[in-house]
PDB file of all heavy atoms in Angstrom:
ATOM      1  N   LEU A   1     101.543  95.462 124.545  1.00 96.00           N
ATOM      2  CA  LEU A   1     102.221  96.034 123.394  1.00 96.00           C
ATOM      3  C   LEU A   1     102.225  95.008 122.271  1.00 96.00           C
ATOM      4  O   LEU A   1     102.627  93.865 122.478  1.00 96.00           O
ATOM      5  CB  LEU A   1     103.656  96.417 123.753  1.00 96.00           C
ATOM      6  CG  LEU A   1     103.824  97.399 124.922  1.00 96.00           C
ATOM      7  CD1 LEU A   1     105.293  97.526 125.286  1.00 96.00           C
ATOM      8  CD2 LEU A   1     103.241  98.752 124.559  1.00 96.00           C
ATOM      9  N   VAL A   2     101.778  95.426 121.109  1.00 97.00           N
ATOM     10  CA  VAL A   2     101.706  94.536 119.956  1.00 97.00           C
ATOM     11  C   VAL A   2     102.460  95.160 118.799  1.00 97.00           C
ATOM     12  O   VAL A   2     102.056  96.203 118.277  1.00 97.00           O
ATOM     13  CB  VAL A   2     100.255  94.249 119.549  1.00 97.00           C
ATOM     14  CG1 VAL A   2     100.224  93.313 118.347  1.00 97.00           C
ATOM     15  CG2 VAL A   2      99.489  93.631 120.711  1.00 97.00           C
ATOM     16  N   GLU A   3     103.540  94.508 118.407  1.00 98.00           N
ATOM     17  CA  GLU A   3     104.343  94.981 117.287  1.00 98.00           C
ATOM     18  C   GLU A   3     103.837  94.369 115.988  1.00 98.00           C
ATOM     19  O   GLU A   3     103.386  93.221 115.965  1.00 98.00           O
ATOM     20  CB  GLU A   3     105.818  94.605 117.476  1.00 98.00           C
ATOM     21  CG  GLU A   3     106.459  95.164 118.743  1.00 98.00           C
ATOM     22  CD  GLU A   3     106.455  94.183 119.903  1.00 98.00           C
ATOM     23  OE1 GLU A   3     105.641  93.225 119.894  1.00 98.00           O
ATOM     24  OE2 GLU A   3     107.273  94.362 120.824  1.00 98.00           O
ATOM     25  N   SER A   4     103.947  95.117 114.915  1.00 98.00           N
ATOM     26  CA  SER A   4     103.553  94.624 113.608  1.00 98.00           C
ATOM     27  C   SER A   4     104.303  95.398 112.533  1.00 98.00           C
ATOM     28  O   SER A   4     104.929  96.415 112.812  1.00 98.00           O
ATOM     29  CB  SER A   4     102.044  94.751 113.403  1.00 98.00           C
ATOM     30  OG  SER A   4     101.636  96.110 113.437  1.00 98.00           O
ATOM     31  N   GLY A   5     104.215  94.912 111.314  1.00 98.00           N
ATOM     32  CA  GLY A   5     104.796  95.611 110.183  1.00 98.00           C
ATOM     33  C   GLY A   5     106.084  95.028 109.643  1.00 98.00           C
ATOM     34  O   GLY A   5     106.591  95.497 108.621  1.00 98.00           O
ATOM     35  N   GLY A   6     106.614  94.020 110.304  1.00 98.00           N
ATOM     36  CA  GLY A   6     107.839  93.416 109.822  1.00 98.00           C
ATOM     37  C   GLY A   6     107.609  92.627 108.550  1.00 98.00           C
ATOM     38  O   GLY A   6     106.480  92.409 108.126  1.00 98.00           O
ATOM     39  N   GLY A   7     108.701  92.210 107.948  1.00 98.00           N
ATOM     40  CA  GLY A   7     108.602  91.446 106.718  1.00 98.00           C
ATOM     41  C   GLY A   7     109.955  91.235 106.091  1.00 98.00           C
ATOM     42  O   GLY A   7     110.992  91.531 106.683  1.00 98.00           O
ATOM     43  N   LEU A   8     109.930  90.713 104.881  1.00 98.00           N
ATOM     44  CA  LEU A   8     111.140  90.457 104.113  1.00 98.00           C
ATOM     45  C   LEU A   8     111.271  91.508 103.027  1.00 98.00           C
ATOM     46  O   LEU A   8     110.353  91.689 102.220  1.00 98.00           O
ATOM     47  CB  LEU A   8     111.080  89.056 103.495  1.00 98.00           C
ATOM     48  CG  LEU A   8     112.200  88.677 102.536  1.00 98.00           C
ATOM     49  CD1 LEU A   8     113.541  88.667 103.259  1.00 98.00           C
ATOM     50  CD2 LEU A   8     111.913  87.310 101.913  1.00 98.00           C
ATOM     51  N   VAL A   9     112.395  92.200 103.024  1.00 98.00           N
ATOM     52  CA  VAL A   9     112.641  93.227 102.029  1.00 98.00           C
ATOM     53  C   VAL A   9     114.067  93.120 101.518  1.00 98.00           C
ATOM     54  O   VAL A   9     114.938  92.546 102.175  1.00 98.00           O
ATOM     55  CB  VAL A   9     112.409  94.648 102.585  1.00 98.00           C
ATOM     56  CG1 VAL A   9     110.969  94.833 103.017  1.00 98.00           C
ATOM     57  CG2 VAL A   9     113.357  94.923 103.746  1.00 98.00           C
ATOM     58  N   GLN A  10     114.294  93.686 100.349  1.00 98.00           N
ATOM     59  CA  GLN A  10     115.636  93.739  99.803  1.00 98.00           C
ATOM     60  C   GLN A  10     116.398  94.923 100.391  1.00 98.00           C
ATOM     61  O   GLN A  10     115.805  95.895 100.864  1.00 98.00           O
ATOM     62  CB  GLN A  10     115.601  93.875  98.283  1.00 98.00           C
ATOM     63  CG  GLN A  10     115.107  92.645  97.548  1.00 98.00           C
ATOM     64  CD  GLN A  10     115.233  92.786  96.047  1.00 98.00           C
ATOM     65  OE1 GLN A  10     114.888  93.819  95.483  1.00 98.00           O
ATOM     66  NE2 GLN A  10     115.733  91.748  95.398  1.00 98.00           N
ATOM     67  N   ALA A  11     117.701  94.821 100.370  1.00 98.00           N
ATOM     68  CA  ALA A  11     118.526  95.928 100.830  1.00 98.00           C
ATOM     69  C   ALA A  11     118.128  97.206 100.096  1.00 98.00           C
ATOM     70  O   ALA A  11     117.903  97.198  98.886  1.00 98.00           O
ATOM     71  CB  ALA A  11     120.000  95.616 100.605  1.00 98.00           C
ATOM     72  N   GLY A  12     118.039  98.279 100.848  1.00 98.00           N
ATOM     73  CA  GLY A  12     117.621  99.545 100.283  1.00 98.00           C
ATOM     74  C   GLY A  12     116.133  99.796 100.387  1.00 98.00           C
ATOM     75  O   GLY A  12     115.668 100.911 100.123  1.00 98.00           O
ATOM     76  N   GLY A  13     115.390  98.782 100.783  1.00 98.00           N
ATOM     77  CA  GLY A  13     113.955  98.913 100.901  1.00 98.00           C
ATOM     78  C   GLY A  13     113.531  99.602 102.182  1.00 98.00           C
ATOM     79  O   GLY A  13     114.357 100.026 102.991  1.00 98.00           O
ATOM     80  N   SER A  14     112.216  99.683 102.363  1.00 98.00           N
ATOM     81  CA  SER A  14     111.650 100.375 103.513  1.00 98.00           C
ATOM     82  C   SER A  14     110.558  99.552 104.169  1.00 98.00           C
ATOM     83  O   SER A  14     109.887  98.747 103.525  1.00 98.00           O
ATOM     84  CB  SER A  14     111.063 101.726 103.093  1.00 98.00           C
ATOM     85  OG  SER A  14     112.040 102.564 102.516  1.00 98.00           O
ATOM     86  N   LEU A  15     110.379  99.776 105.446  1.00 98.00           N
ATOM     87  CA  LEU A  15     109.305  99.177 106.214  1.00 98.00           C
ATOM     88  C   LEU A  15     108.885 100.162 107.293  1.00 98.00           C
ATOM     89  O   LEU A  15     109.707 100.960 107.753  1.00 98.00           O
ATOM     90  CB  LEU A  15     109.731  97.870 106.884  1.00 98.00           C
ATOM     91  CG  LEU A  15     109.877  96.611 106.045  1.00 98.00           C
ATOM     92  CD1 LEU A  15     110.489  95.501 106.895  1.00 98.00           C
ATOM     93  CD2 LEU A  15     108.525  96.173 105.499  1.00 98.00           C
ATOM     94  N   ARG A  16     107.636 100.095 107.694  1.00 98.00           N
ATOM     95  CA  ARG A  16     107.176 100.870 108.834  1.00 98.00           C
ATOM     96  C   ARG A  16     106.610  99.926 109.876  1.00 98.00           C
ATOM     97  O   ARG A  16     105.626  99.226 109.628  1.00 98.00           O
ATOM     98  CB  ARG A  16     106.115 101.904 108.447  1.00 98.00           C
ATOM     99  CG  ARG A  16     105.782 102.842 109.624  1.00 98.00           C
ATOM    100  CD  ARG A  16     104.872 103.987 109.260  1.00 98.00           C
ATOM    101  NE  ARG A  16     103.471 103.598 109.208  1.00 98.00           N
ATOM    102  CZ  ARG A  16     102.457 104.448 109.356  1.00 98.00           C
ATOM    103  NH1 ARG A  16     102.706 105.739 109.546  1.00 98.00           N
ATOM    104  NH2 ARG A  16     101.221 104.009 109.276  1.00 98.00           N
ATOM    105  N   LEU A  17     107.243  99.917 111.024  1.00 98.00           N
ATOM    106  CA  LEU A  17     106.791  99.093 112.125  1.00 98.00           C
ATOM    107  C   LEU A  17     105.830  99.876 113.001  1.00 98.00           C
ATOM    108  O   LEU A  17     105.967 101.087 113.162  1.00 98.00           O
ATOM    109  CB  LEU A  17     107.975  98.618 112.969  1.00 98.00           C
ATOM    110  CG  LEU A  17     109.120  97.934 112.222  1.00 98.00           C
ATOM    111  CD1 LEU A  17     110.159  97.441 113.221  1.00 98.00           C
ATOM    112  CD2 LEU A  17     108.605  96.792 111.359  1.00 98.00           C
ATOM    113  N   SER A  18     104.871  99.175 113.567  1.00 98.00           N
ATOM    114  CA  SER A  18     103.907  99.790 114.457  1.00 98.00           C
ATOM    115  C   SER A  18     103.919  99.089 115.796  1.00 98.00           C
ATOM    116  O   SER A  18     104.131  97.879 115.876  1.00 98.00           O
ATOM    117  CB  SER A  18     102.493  99.722 113.866  1.00 98.00           C
ATOM    118  OG  SER A  18     102.407 100.423 112.647  1.00 98.00           O
ATOM    119  N   CYS A  19     103.692  99.843 116.837  1.00 98.00           N
ATOM    120  CA  CYS A  19     103.584  99.302 118.185  1.00 98.00           C
ATOM    121  C   CYS A  19     102.325  99.877 118.800  1.00 98.00           C
ATOM    122  O   CYS A  19     102.281 101.069 119.138  1.00 98.00           O
ATOM    123  CB  CYS A  19     104.813  99.670 119.016  1.00 98.00           C
ATOM    124  SG  CYS A  19     104.701  99.199 120.760  1.00 98.00           S
ATOM    125  N   ALA A  20     101.313  99.048 118.924  1.00 97.00           N
ATOM    126  CA  ALA A  20     100.036  99.476 119.480  1.00 97.00           C
ATOM    127  C   ALA A  20      99.986  99.161 120.967  1.00 97.00           C
ATOM    128  O   ALA A  20     100.217  98.025 121.375  1.00 97.00           O
ATOM    129  CB  ALA A  20      98.887  98.784 118.759  1.00 97.00           C
ATOM    130  N   ALA A  21      99.685 100.155 121.755  1.00 96.00           N
ATOM    131  CA  ALA A  21      99.640 100.003 123.202  1.00 96.00           C
ATOM    132  C   ALA A  21      98.205  99.991 123.704  1.00 96.00           C
ATOM    133  O   ALA A  21      97.328 100.669 123.165  1.00 96.00           O
ATOM    134  CB  ALA A  21     100.411 101.136 123.883  1.00 96.00           C
ATOM    135  N   SER A  22      97.985  99.226 124.745  1.00 96.00           N
ATOM    136  CA  SER A  22      96.695  99.200 125.406  1.00 96.00           C
ATOM    137  C   SER A  22      96.918  98.916 126.881  1.00 96.00           C
ATOM    138  O   SER A  22      98.021  98.583 127.297  1.00 96.00           O
ATOM    139  CB  SER A  22      95.769  98.150 124.779  1.00 96.00           C
ATOM    140  OG  SER A  22      96.325  96.850 124.880  1.00 96.00           O
ATOM    141  N   GLY A  23      95.872  99.040 127.661  1.00 95.00           N
ATOM    142  CA  GLY A  23      95.994  98.820 129.085  1.00 95.00           C
ATOM    143  C   GLY A  23      96.298 100.116 129.823  1.00 95.00           C
ATOM    144  O   GLY A  23      95.821 101.181 129.448  1.00 95.00           O
ATOM    145  N   ARG A  24      97.123 100.004 130.864  1.00 93.00           N
ATOM    146  CA  ARG A  24      97.453 101.160 131.680  1.00 93.00           C
ATOM    147  C   ARG A  24      97.965 102.309 130.836  1.00 93.00           C
ATOM    148  O   ARG A  24      98.793 102.124 129.941  1.00 93.00           O
ATOM    149  CB  ARG A  24      98.487 100.781 132.735  1.00 93.00           C
ATOM    150  CG  ARG A  24      98.892 101.930 133.638  1.00 93.00           C
ATOM    151  CD  ARG A  24      99.835 101.457 134.735  1.00 93.00           C
ATOM    152  NE  ARG A  24     101.105 100.972 134.215  1.00 93.00           N
ATOM    153  CZ  ARG A  24     102.126 101.744 133.860  1.00 93.00           C
ATOM    154  NH1 ARG A  24     102.023 103.067 133.958  1.00 93.00           N
ATOM    155  NH2 ARG A  24     103.249 101.209 133.415  1.00 93.00           N
ATOM    156  N   THR A  25      97.488 103.486 131.138  1.00 93.00           N
ATOM    157  CA  THR A  25      97.911 104.655 130.379  1.00 93.00           C
ATOM    158  C   THR A  25      99.320 105.066 130.753  1.00 93.00           C
ATOM    159  O   THR A  25      99.750 104.927 131.898  1.00 93.00           O
ATOM    160  CB  THR A  25      96.949 105.832 130.611  1.00 93.00           C
ATOM    161  OG1 THR A  25      96.905 106.154 132.007  1.00 93.00           O
ATOM    162  CG2 THR A  25      95.552 105.484 130.132  1.00 93.00           C
TER     163      THR A  25
END
C-alpha cells in the first residue's frame, strides 16, 4: 500500500489522498 497526495494547505483548503494497492488481490 502506497499513500500519496499529502501536503501543506491552509485551513479551508482541500487535498485528495490516494492509496495504491498491489500484490495479493
Side-chain angles (χ1 to χ4, degrees):
L1 303 172
V2 180
E3 301 96 340
S4 63
L8 174 63
V9 298
Q10 291 186 315
S14 300
L15 285 172
R16 188 173 80 157
L17 308 184
S18 298
C19 174
S22 60
R24 180 175 65 81
T25 59

